[in-house]
Amino acid sequence: VDLFLGWWDYGFKSWRKRAGKDATLAFTCELGPKPYAITGRDGEDTTDRWDESMLMRQEIRDLWAKTFG
């Protein structure tokens, strides 16, 4: 996760340097379901992908907020 947050931090800062005052940035990060998720012997996800998505969403929002100024 830290590797991706570092890339996104760099990307957000770089984008802000080039973007106009009223520009908007669309950002999508996908935590895909099977077959992308880690699954158990039963073939089901071993973690709660919704909870992980909400955690990632907050991490990215916090990162975005830090890149102001």
Side-chain angles (χ1 to χ4, degrees):
V1 172
D2 290 338
L3 178 62
F4 282 89
L5 289 172
W7 288 339
W8 296 331
D9 179 65
Y10 174 81
F12 290 163
K13 288 175 181 174
S14 178
W15 180 85
R16 285 192 189 277
K17 288 178 186 175
R18 297 184 315 273
K21 181 181 175 226
D22 295 324
T24 59
L25 175 68
F27 179 85
T28 302
C29 175
E30 181 182 345
L31 289 178
K34 296 177 280 186
Y36 305 105
I38 297 172
T39 56
R41 289 181 180 213
D42 61 359
E44 298 300 319
D45 293 344
T46 59
T47 60
D48 186 324
R49 302 301 275 174
W50 179 256
D51 284 345
E52 291 173 341
S53 295
M54 294 297 100
L55 177 62
M56 185 63 74
R57 175 182 166 203
Q58 192 57 53
E59 290 279 343
I60 294 165
R61 284 183 169 183
D62 292 346
L63 182 63
W64 177 251
K66 284 190 232 178
T67 64
F68 277 111

